Amino acid sequence: PMSNVRLDIDGPIAVITNDRPDKHNAFDDDMDLALFEILGELRSRPDIRAVIWRGTGKSFSSGRDVSAIGVNQTSMSHHELMTRGHRGIQQLFDLDAPVIVACHGWTLGGSFQRALLCDIRIAATGARFMLPEVGHGVIPDTGGVARLFQICGPGLVSDLVLTGRVLEAEEALAHGIVSRVVAPEALDDTAREMAERIAAAPAATVKLARRVIGRMSEPQVRASMEDELIGQTYVNRSDDFAEFRAARAEGRQPRYTGS
């Protein structure tokens, strides 16, 4: 079957495309597995010198398919599913080629976190970012919060995570979350020019430069993902999360106890 995540290879440049435009490229389990398979293939392709990750339609990705949130259609436990997700996305750390993410429209939740784990983010004017997880009763659990912390410190991270507010492209640029903001019609061309410049440099040099930069951030990100795994597993079974769901279903005010 045609996947909603595509890989196109053009010489030394690989392009990953989120291609489910009718759903703002919201990810479900099938798309996750397709993405992890693509990253696995890129790990074994030394001929690929740069990777672009983009989305079709109106958004890079609106995160998790809301109809899939809290719905586990597999035989795996919640903990096993998260472990699979962590292992899948941690393949990014094993690539030799840098990954440039081209963000437009919405980049939300888990998809924003995954973009944060890549090397470079650029945005189109009007792009918007958000971590809405806490409003759904859960915590962000894809490792991106650790990278966001490294980029802009605890203050902004706490604001975004705890309030779930929207971050506009210009503010993201001011904080270094994206390194460039360009007109929407220039987004793909800019990503391409960046990829071509990287691909034209000596492969060994780029690989080592990426490794040196990655060494500074990766241990903390991996440690944070382990904390997230434990935390999310606890939250998922907590009294407060059960109360959150019950109150929502019954249309009443929740009564939280903190446990």
Side-chain angles (χ1 to χ4, degrees), residues 24-95:
H24 280 269
N25 296 322
F27 269 70
D28 56 18
D29 281 343
D30 289 343
M31 287 173 72
D32 276 351
L33 292 178
L35 174 66
F36 301 157
E37 199 173 302
I38 285 168
L39 294 178
E41 182 176 337
L42 293 176
R43 278 168 74 195
S44 65
R45 293 283 301 261
D47 56 313
I48 300 297
R49 303 289 169 78
V51 181
I52 297 166
W53 189 6
R54 58 183 293 279
T56 58
K58 293 194 165 130
S59 292
F60 172 73
S61 171
S62 61
R64 247 347 240 176
D65 187 342
V66 178
S67 62
I69 286 181
V71 181
N72 183 352
Q73 288 149 330
T74 70
S75 59
M76 302 166 82
S77 73
H78 183 261
H79 193 276
E80 287 169 331
L81 260 180
M82 276 185 64
T83 302
R84 181 181 80 181
H86 282 177
R87 284 187 185 144
I89 204 64
Q90 281 171 356
Q91 294 180 104
L92 278 169
F93 300 147
D94 302 329
L95 304 184

Side-chain angles (χ1 to χ4, degrees), residues 173-194:
L173 178 65
H175 286 293
I177 295 164
V178 300
S179 59
R180 308 184 192 192
V181 175
V182 298
E185 58 274 16
L187 185 67
D188 279 331
D189 288 345
T190 304
R192 185 84 200 184
E193 282 161 25
M194 293 167 75

Side-chain angles (χ1 to χ4, degrees), residues 139-183:
I139 62 173
D141 63 8
T142 311
V145 168
R147 182 57 55 79
L148 196 58
F149 180 94
Q150 291 168 336
I151 294 168
C152 57
L156 191 81
V157 171
S158 296
D159 184 350
L160 294 180
V161 170
L162 300 178
T163 72
R165 76 170 172 90
V166 173
L167 183 77
E168 306 280 354
E170 292 303 327
E171 195 185 353
L173 178 65
H175 286 293
I177 295 164
V178 300
S179 59
R180 308 184 192 192
V181 175
V182 298

Side-chain angles (χ1 to χ4, degrees), residues 66 138 204 224 241:
V66 178
V138 296
S224 183
F241 188 59

